[in-house]
Amino acid sequence: MSRSNEFYNRPVADLSLVSCHNCDLLQRLPPLASGGSARCPRCNEEIRRRREDSLHRTLALAIAAALLYVVANSVPMLGLTVVGREASTTVFGGAMQLWADRRDTVSALVLFTAMIAPALQIGFMLAIVLGALRESPRRWVGVLLRHHRLTRIWSMIEVMMLGVLVALTKIADYATVVPGLALFVLGALVFVLAAMQSGFDPDEVWERIEWAADADVASEAAGTVLPQA
Amino acid sequence: MSAAPSTAMQHGLQNCGACGLLSLPAPGVEKGHCPRCAEPVAFRKRDSIQRTWAFVIAAAICYIPANVLPVLTTTTATGTDSDTILQGVILLWSPTGWPLSLIVLIASIIIPSAKIAVMAYLLVTVQRGSIRNNEQRIRLFRTVEFIGRWSMVDVFVDTFTAALVQLQPLMSVEPGPGLFFFAMVVVLTMLAVESFDPRLIWDAASEQGVHYG
Ligand SMILES: [Zn+2]
């Protein structure tokens, strides 16, 4: 056995054995048809769901999201006019104004959740799907997939949309508000991102990916007997 | 009658949090890694209870200045006005504006305080080894996990209000010090949810072989 394999666990022999990530109940996963799902009998958490044609659909939606993202961040999002004066801003402009007002931490947080995390979410997804569609997906696909969950949690485009709408209504009391093109593009992006995420089947990618441990570790699987109910 | 639940941990197996593969730690290995995706794996998240408590307490402390200090300062020809989150909610409340006022009230006052309370409740019940209301507790956890990000709404509202209303010398809006603490509450409660291991809710029941189904 090679030295690097010393810190890898041994997988169970029967790969249909799973445990619920919510309650750790050990169970055997039944074969799932495309579009089918399995729930934990103890806590009702969805253990697995098979998506139809997941990779190609996700790829199409990720490309659409990338284009919408670029447009949404390069044209004005909202503007206002009051007594002959005009002002407009973009997502980036909003964060920069905070920076100018010496609210660095909040500015960084807004920049991260409204621009950087969504860009990572889309970029990771594109790379994961493109990588997974290759003949034998490489390990870096798995590395991106491991971290994709975090980019999704911190990507808050839909929350920002709601915030912008509230801000517009607030400002409408003392100025004429002009919604910019980016606002509508962002609205579309919210839906495309949700569709991209819900149609994606990470398990399909995990099954195709090259294992991190050497083949001999993977084949030297541990046997575990699941007690019958 | 159904069988007593048996968990992966009771069989000495570790569930990878990233890819879901079950694996068996090699003998004498302290920190194992998933053989498929290389993510560090353990039976339970490391120091989950202590870390979650730390984030919850820090969030509760920040929650006070977040509500007391102004989040927006409006300067007009007639003077300067500072609004806290709650004052912003009241200001928005009108025959036409009440739905938005309600959104801000729920997102910035009700969700963060409920999240702090729910996480504290989950921590206390787990530490007591409670085996009651497991399904309700897991549902509470899933709910705070799902709606938690929406408490960022007011941070975005204040950001874009301040970014847009820069009409010197007529009027200008600046973010106030409360915004920093409020943003910290959002981040800290999200980190609290991330560091909490929901499997702890079920461990006491599993150890005692409580039936389910
Ligand atoms: Zn479960």
Side-chain angles (χ1 to χ4, degrees):
Chain A
M1 192 192 281
S2 67
R3 222 174 67 89
S4 66
N5 279 336
E6 278 163 20
F7 59 51
Y8 288 119
N9 284 3
R10 284 178 303 147
V12 292
D14 179 356
L15 290 180
S16 71
L17 266 189
V18 295
S19 87
C20 174
H21 68 263
N22 234 352
C23 74
D24 207 28
L25 183 75
L26 194 62
Q27 50 206 288
R28 179 158 281 126
L29 202 66
L32 289 175
S34 186
S37 67
R39 286 185 175 276
C40 172
R42 178 158 76 165
C43 73
N44 204 34
E45 172 76 359
E46 188 172 274
I47 305 273
R48 202 151 291 179
R49 177 188 285 277
R50 283 261 164 264
R51 318 276 177 174
E52 259 175 82
D53 194 22
S54 163
L55 290 180
H56 289 101
R57 277 189 200 182
T58 308
L59 178 62
L61 287 164
I63 292 170
L67 294 174
L68 289 171
Y69 177 89
V70 171
V71 177
N73 284 292
S74 44
V75 296
M77 181 171 64
L78 34 99
L80 92 167
T81 59
V82 61
V83 288
R85 301 181 56 167
E86 286 176 32
S88 77
T89 191
T90 56
V91 180
F92 188 69
M96 284 307 102
Q97 183 62 47
L98 276 180
W99 190 271
D101 286 329
R102 296 181 313 281
R103 303 289 167 209
D104 311 5
T105 316
V106 186
S107 169
L109 184 65
V110 167
L111 202 62
F112 183 70
T113 55
M115 278 189 81
I116 298 170
L120 291 176
Q121 185 191 6
I122 299 167
F124 276 32
M125 189 61 105
L126 268 176
I128 289 165
V129 178
L130 285 173
L133 282 169
R134 298 204 320 188
E135 195 75 2
S136 54
R138 311 290 300 177
R139 272 179 57 186
W140 60 260
V141 178
V143 175
L144 292 186
L145 189 48
R146 268 168 61 197
H147 294 105
H148 181 69
R149 207 182 76 86
L150 279 180
T151 66
R152 204 182 67 210
I153 293 171
W154 291 97
S155 154
M156 300 189 186
I157 294 251
E158 73 279 29
V159 182
M160 186 198 72
M161 276 293 293
L162 184 65
V164 169
L165 293 178
V166 175
L168 282 182
T169 318
K170 240 169 127 171
I171 298 168
D173 285 348
Y174 31 80
T176 308
V177 183
V178 191
L181 175 65
L183 200 58
F184 300 99
V185 180
L186 278 167
L189 180 57
V190 169
F191 286 100
V192 172
L193 277 182
M196 174 187 94
Q197 213 58 65
S198 73
F200 179 60
D201 187 350
D203 297 314
E204 193 181 331
V205 177
W206 286 124
E207 280 160 18
R208 299 167 66 107
I209 259 166
E210 187 179 309
W211 283 48
D214 287 357
D216 58 327
V217 170
S219 63
E220 189 196 310
T224 292
V225 185
L226 187 65
Q228 293 301 310
Chain B
M1 196 170 130
S2 49
S6 80
T7 61
M9 182 162 75
Q10 287 169 332
H11 287 268
L13 298 172
Q14 298 179 334
N15 183 7
C16 173
C19 80
L21 184 80
L22 277 182
S23 57
L24 191 71
V29 169
E30 286 271 314
K31 288 172 193 157
H33 288 72
C34 175
R36 180 159 70 181
C37 73
E39 173 95 345
V41 283
F43 290 110
R44 295 292 176 263
K45 282 186 186 172
R46 222 174 125 250
D47 301 326
S48 173
I49 292 177
Q50 293 87 328
R51 287 165 48 114
T52 311
W53 264 126
F55 287 127
V56 167
I57 291 166
I61 292 169
C62 288
Y63 189 71
I64 299 164
N67 281 283
V68 173
L69 297 174
V71 287
L72 275 186
T73 304
T74 312
T75 311
T76 59
T78 53
T80 299
D81 240 345
S82 288
D83 293 322
T84 61
I85 294 173
L86 194 61
Q87 283 166 336
V89 171
I90 295 165
L91 218 65
L92 265 175
W93 194 271
S94 70
T96 51
W98 68 267
L100 294 170
S101 172
L102 206 60
I103 289 174
V104 178
L105 179 72
I106 293 171
S108 10
I109 295 180
I110 298 176
I111 292 181
S113 51
K115 236 174 129 177
I116 293 170
V118 164
M119 292 313 294
Y121 164 72
L122 291 177
L123 286 165
V124 168
T125 51
V126 162
Q127 282 180 306
R128 282 184 171 179
S130 169
I131 55 167
R132 288 168 54 215
N133 308 326
N134 287 356
E135 275 152 70
Q136 285 92 323
R137 284 192 287 149
I138 204 83
R139 217 170 296 144
L140 270 177
F141 178 70
R142 305 306 305 195
T143 310
V144 293
E145 191 181 33
F146 181 71
I147 62 172
R149 319 151 74 240
W150 289 94
S151 43
M152 265 294 278
V153 159
D154 206 57
V155 175
F156 289 120
V157 172
D158 299 336
T159 298
F160 290 107
T161 306
L164 213 50
V165 188
Q166 297 299 332
L167 301 158
Q168 276 93 359
L170 286 175
M171 174 188 238
S172 72
V173 175
E174 265 186 46
L179 197 58
F180 167 79
F181 291 100
F182 186 71
M184 285 301 104
V185 171
V186 179
V187 171
L188 290 166
T189 52
M190 284 181 65
L191 292 174
V193 167
E194 271 302 292
S195 53
F196 183 75
D197 193 333
R199 292 171 293 192
L200 295 172
I201 292 175
W202 298 87
D203 280 348
S206 299
E207 278 159 26
Q208 295 173 29
V210 175
H211 292 205
Y212 71 99

